[in-house]
Amino acid sequence: MTGWLVIAGLGPGADALVTPEVVTALAEATDLVGYLPYVRRVAARPGLTRHESDNRDELARARHALEMAMEGRRVAIVSSGDPGVFAMAAAVFEAVETGPMAWRGLDVRVLPGVTAMLAAAALAGAPLGHDFCAINLSDNLKPWSTVERRLRLAVEADFAIAIYNPRSAARPEGMSRALALLREACEPGRVLVFARAVSTPEEAVRVVALADAAAEMADMRTVVLVGSSATRVIAREGAPFVYTPRAAPA
Ligand code: SAH
């Protein structure tokens, strides 16, 4: 039997946002690998072995998946959102590059998913309608000085910015520091969108001006979108529309 490995994105939460390509691969898989809450999003069925793990050792998890694929198993590693955005796909390729040459001959495919910032942007309107960038606020994998530098330069370049992993119990000060940096560099009316648990039953979206933003508005299930200087809010009854115009003035 020929084994394969797919690194599949489950989207932000709702079943309707899982791509048909991912649904098909999951139906053909013999083994499911991933962080526990993501593995649990895939229904159990006979013939599918679920390998749940904690979120710590991504490389070890990737190697385990590659070994199983070498043995002829059909393995799916699942991530939330898109697997290439702050998730497992890069860890798999790091394992391939540093692993046995035979791994390079494996059928390895990345199946994209709807990443959190796009689902959040769609809910708010079109805040990422012009140039934008994404930054992971977690300093597990890089020093905080790098986070700060990238944030500062992104603001200077006037990108809209999607902030992933804004806050955790272990690292509560990241978002406060980011807000302090934004307050130094941006006008108080700069638009922020705090989008929590998008496309799940707990979904909550807040649109606030930078002056009114607080770190407590974000948790680990929140993605924060920071508008550029051109981002607009259209007030109306209920949630406003937020958008960034397609063109920047010359
Ligand atoms: N691969 C994922 C990101 C993993 S990092 C993706 O492409 O979306 C985890 C971070 O993603 C969280 O801390 C949060 O910032 C964001 N996130 C993931 N799912 C989300 C959702 N449903 N709503 C809002 N933010 C989400």
Side-chain angles (χ1 to χ4, degrees), residues 9 11-14 38 41 55 79-88 113-120 136 163-167 195-200 203-204 219-224:
Y38 306 152
R41 277 176 56 188
N55 213 2
S79 286
S80 76
D82 181 274
V85 178
F86 311 133
M88 279 301 293
V114 177
T115 188
M117 68 175 175
L118 298 185
N136 186 345
I163 300 179
Y164 283 75
N165 286 308
R167 204 152 181 278
R196 176 168 197 276
V198 174
S199 96
T200 78
E203 177 178 286
D219 65 7
M220 280 314 273
R221 297 187 72 193
T222 306
V223 65
V224 183

Side-chain angles (χ1 to χ4, degrees), residues 3-218:
W4 47 246
L5 171 61
V6 297
I7 310 106
L10 296 177
D15 286 345
L17 294 182
V18 183
T19 70
E21 179 181 53
V22 168
V23 171
T24 303
L26 292 177
E28 292 171 352
T30 56
D31 294 83
L32 197 60
V33 176
Y35 178 42
L36 202 130
Y38 306 152
V39 167
R40 293 212 173 137
R41 277 176 56 188
V42 180
R45 61 167 166 81
L48 181 68
T49 308
R50 307 208 284 181
H51 307 266
E52 299 171 356
S53 64
D54 64 23
N55 213 2
R56 294 284 154 198
D57 198 348
E58 292 189 337
L59 264 183
R61 194 193 305 162
R63 290 193 186 105
H64 179 217
L66 286 156
E67 278 158 9
M68 287 194 289
M70 281 302 285
E71 289 162 8
R73 307 192 66 82
R74 300 187 296 273
V75 186
I77 300 185
V78 287
S79 286
S80 76
D82 181 274
V85 178
F86 311 133
M88 279 301 293
V92 169
F93 292 112
E94 194 175 329
V96 168
E97 190 180 13
T98 56
M101 283 307 278
W103 286 0
R104 300 185 184 201
L106 270 173
D107 178 7
V108 177
R109 277 166 294 139
V110 180
L111 310 183
V114 177
T115 188
M117 68 175 175
L118 298 185
L123 262 187
L128 307 180
H130 194 73
D131 297 345
F132 66 91
C133 63
I135 184 162
N136 186 345
L137 216 60
S138 165
D139 56 1
N140 289 340
L141 301 170
K142 61 189 171 212
W144 177 258
S145 58
T146 301
V147 174
E148 230 166 33
R149 176 160 181 270
R150 290 184 180 160
L151 209 49
R152 194 163 358 93
L153 292 172
V155 168
E156 189 187 324
D158 205 18
F159 285 114
I161 306 166
I163 300 179
Y164 283 75
N165 286 308
R167 204 152 181 278
S168 69
R171 212 173 15 77
E173 71 291 349
M175 193 60 208
S176 332
R177 289 199 208 166
L179 285 175
L181 187 152
L182 291 173
R183 287 194 174 107
E184 276 172 28
C186 306
E187 68 291 352
R190 183 63 62 102
V191 187
L192 271 69
V193 178
F194 289 84
R196 176 168 197 276
V198 174
S199 96
T200 78
E202 294 84 46
E203 177 178 286
V205 182
R206 284 166 91 153
V207 178
V208 295
L210 178 55
D212 304 321
E216 294 68 37
M217 293 175 179

